[in-house]
């Protein structure tokens, strides 16, 4: 696969700003190239990254290419990266399409953001890792590292790696002088599932319920168009024609979106922590059954201001919005 430099957009920032999640996400939203990435300009440059890729075209057979110290060498996966919690990331590039599954940078974490982001990219893409040495240190953020271990504890258990990787995480925290803080954060995330879920939802997928072929397919078209725009913004998105207890039990969602979709108001959906958005185009009184089910907590998005007022005044819906 041949990709010219203009098709790989790389944001350069100094070490202090390299892992800033707001800057990373703003860059993701502002560029539409097939490949994009980030480079610490105190260590390397986008010109150097471009040159390495040009001279080693096989790298484009992978979905993610990462440069750093104390990282695996060659092909690796999520488990391989988890075995290197003291990784010092200098730069990484990846295919944009991965964002629709992995999501963008997590704004609720305040350290080790590149490492956490790479782990999610590695869950859904093929990774090639290039170790290199430079004069750069990264402190272990106890909250982020505890969140990472909590997120992947099941995967590590399945691969027989939980205890070995936990020891490496403790060693990384100890090296940064935050071992006790890391252990307290681990206990907090394991006991307080809501705090952990709040952070996880930040990069969780939007679940979009694509409608049946009603209104000549117009609502289905709206659903697919919305999904496309969310992926442009670097959001993870899952489109589905149905929803089940299994889907809700095995995955946290940032939000669940319907288009006059009755299942959005079923009890199994209401019990999730995800926000619910119901796009409403028809006069509410022509859909009495769905109208009766609509929860006060659902965000009802109406194309007509009168419809929004109807939901507020007659259905006690807190968040009826005219868009």
């Amino acid at each position: 696969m041949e990709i010219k430099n203009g098709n790989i957009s790389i944001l350069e920032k100094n070490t202090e700003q390299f892992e800033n999640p707001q800057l990373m996400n703003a860059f993701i939203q502002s560029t539409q190239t097939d490949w994009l990435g980030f480079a610490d300009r105190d260590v390397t440059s986008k010109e150097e990254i471009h040159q390495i890729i040009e001279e080693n075209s096989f790298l484009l057979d992978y979905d993610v290419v990462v440069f750093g110290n104390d990282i695996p060498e060659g092909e690796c996966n999520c488990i391989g990266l988890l075995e290197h919690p003291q990784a010092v990331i200098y730069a990484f590039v990846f295919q944009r399409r991965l964002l629709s599954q992995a999501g963008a940078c997590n704004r609720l974490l305040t350290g080790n953001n590149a490492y956490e982001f790479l782990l999610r990219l590695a869950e859904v893409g093929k990774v090639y890792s290039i170790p290199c040495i430079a004069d750069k240190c990264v402190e272990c953020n106890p909250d982020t590292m505890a969140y990472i271990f909590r997120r992947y504890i099941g995967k590590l258990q399945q691969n027989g790696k939980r205890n070995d990787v936990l020891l490496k995480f403790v060693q990384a925290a100890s090296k940064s002088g935050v071992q006790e803080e890391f252990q307290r954060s681990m206990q907090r995330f394991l006991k307080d599932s809501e705090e952990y879920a709040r952070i996880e939802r930040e990069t969780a997928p939007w679940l979009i319920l694509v409608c049946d072929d009603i209104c000549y397919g117009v609502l289905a078209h709206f659903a697919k168009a919305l999904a496309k725009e969310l992926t442009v913004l670097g959001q993870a998105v899952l489109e589905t024609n149905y929803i089940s207890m299994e889907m809700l039990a095995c995955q946290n969602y940032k939000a669940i979106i319907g288009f006059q979709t009755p299942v959005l108001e079923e009890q199994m959906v209401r019990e999730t922590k995800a926000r619910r958005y119901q796009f409403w185009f028809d006069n509410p009184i022509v859909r009495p059954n769905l109208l009766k089910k609509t929860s006060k907590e659902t965000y009802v998005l109406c194309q007509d201001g009168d419809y929004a007022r109807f939901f507020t005044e007659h259905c006690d819906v807190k968040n009826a919005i005219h868009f």
Side-chain angles (χ1 to χ4, degrees):
M1 181 188 299
E2 181 181 358
I3 294 188
K4 298 179 181 179
N5 284 353
N7 290 328
I8 305 179
S9 299
I10 299 176
L11 177 67
E12 281 185 348
K13 289 293 179 183
N14 60 24
T15 298
E16 184 178 354
Q17 295 183 315
F18 171 59
E19 299 191 61
N20 183 300
Q22 284 76 26
L23 294 177
M24 295 172 81
N25 286 343
F27 179 72
I28 288 171
Q29 294 174 15
S30 67
T31 181
Q32 296 305 313
T33 51
D34 293 336
W35 285 74
L36 64 160
F38 304 92
D40 183 340
R41 71 180 177 208
D42 291 337
V43 179
T44 184
S45 67
K46 59 184 178 183
E47 289 80 14
E48 183 177 28
I49 301 304
H50 279 136
Q51 182 180 351
I52 292 172
I53 293 174
E54 285 182 355
E55 294 174 354
N56 301 273
S57 59
F58 75 92
L59 293 174
L60 296 175
D61 294 332
Y62 294 86
D63 302 309
V64 184
V65 182
V66 54
F67 305 82
N69 188 23
D70 199 359
I71 59 176
E73 182 172 1
E75 291 188 15
C76 68
N77 55 22
C78 182
I79 296 296
L81 288 172
L82 283 165
E83 292 180 303
H84 291 76
Q86 297 187 55
V88 181
I89 309 301
Y90 305 148
F92 61 101
V93 296
F94 58 93
Q95 294 203 48
R96 167 174 285 279
R97 61 177 177 79
L98 299 184
L99 294 171
S100 65
Q101 295 175 270
C105 193
N106 196 319
R107 299 175 301 171
L108 300 184
L109 299 175
T110 57
N112 305 117
N113 292 78
Y115 182 58
E116 191 275 336
F117 191 11
L118 278 167
L119 287 167
R120 283 185 282 112
L121 293 172
E123 285 187 84
V124 298
K126 293 168 52 181
V127 181
Y128 196 90
S129 179
I130 302 176
C132 40
I133 297 176
D135 185 18
K136 175 182 175 180
C137 297
V138 173
E139 295 297 320
C140 171
N141 182 287
D143 285 342
T144 299
M145 298 305 282
Y147 167 78
I148 288 172
F149 191 83
R150 169 66 178 82
R151 178 183 174 94
Y152 294 103
I153 191 170
K155 185 184 289 288
L156 290 168
Q157 180 70 28
Q158 292 173 2
N159 286 270
K161 299 280 189 178
R162 187 186 67 175
N163 292 340
D164 290 343
V165 171
L166 176 58
L167 177 60
K168 292 180 179 180
F169 270 61
V170 171
Q171 290 171 343
S174 178
K175 184 177 179 180
S176 294
V178 293
Q179 181 175 343
E180 292 185 4
E181 291 89 338
F182 170 75
Q183 291 174 336
R184 285 197 295 269
S185 296
M186 274 294 303
Q187 293 172 0
R188 191 173 75 251
F189 283 131
L190 289 170
K191 290 180 179 179
D192 187 351
S193 59
E194 177 49 36
E195 182 181 3
Y196 166 78
R198 180 180 63 86
I199 298 174
E200 186 188 38
R201 275 197 300 274
E202 177 65 18
T203 56
W206 296 70
L207 181 61
I208 296 183
L209 306 176
V210 181
C211 311
D212 296 330
D213 193 19
I214 57 177
C215 296
Y216 302 99
V218 172
L219 297 186
H221 174 76
F222 285 159
K224 291 182 177 296
L226 177 60
K228 182 179 179 180
E229 289 304 312
L230 285 170
T231 59
V232 167
L233 296 175
Q235 298 292 303
V237 176
L238 177 61
E239 298 176 56
T240 182
N241 292 311
Y242 70 97
I243 195 166
S244 66
M245 288 289 293
E246 183 180 1
M247 289 175 63
L248 298 175
C250 69
Q251 173 71 63
N252 202 351
Y253 295 102
K254 193 167 191 175
I256 304 176
I257 301 176
F259 293 77
Q260 294 183 191
T261 309
V263 71
L264 191 68
E265 298 298 344
E266 296 295 336
Q267 187 64 28
M268 64 176 181
V269 180
R270 291 188 184 189
E271 289 177 353
T272 69
K273 298 295 184 180
R275 281 189 175 183
R276 301 187 304 280
Y277 295 92
Q278 184 81 278
F279 282 87
W280 198 289
F281 299 91
D282 292 333
N283 189 317
I285 62 175
V286 304
R287 301 291 300 275
N289 292 333
L290 180 54
L291 180 63
K292 186 177 180 180
K293 287 184 176 181
T294 301
S295 165
K296 296 179 182 180
E297 285 72 37
T298 300
Y299 285 77
V300 180
L301 308 176
C302 306
Q303 68 168 351
D304 188 295
D306 291 334
Y307 298 171
R309 284 190 291 274
F310 182 92
F311 276 105
T312 300
E313 295 171 4
H314 300 284
C315 304
D316 198 25
V317 171
K318 300 176 182 177
N319 299 294
I321 301 168
H322 177 210
F323 71 94

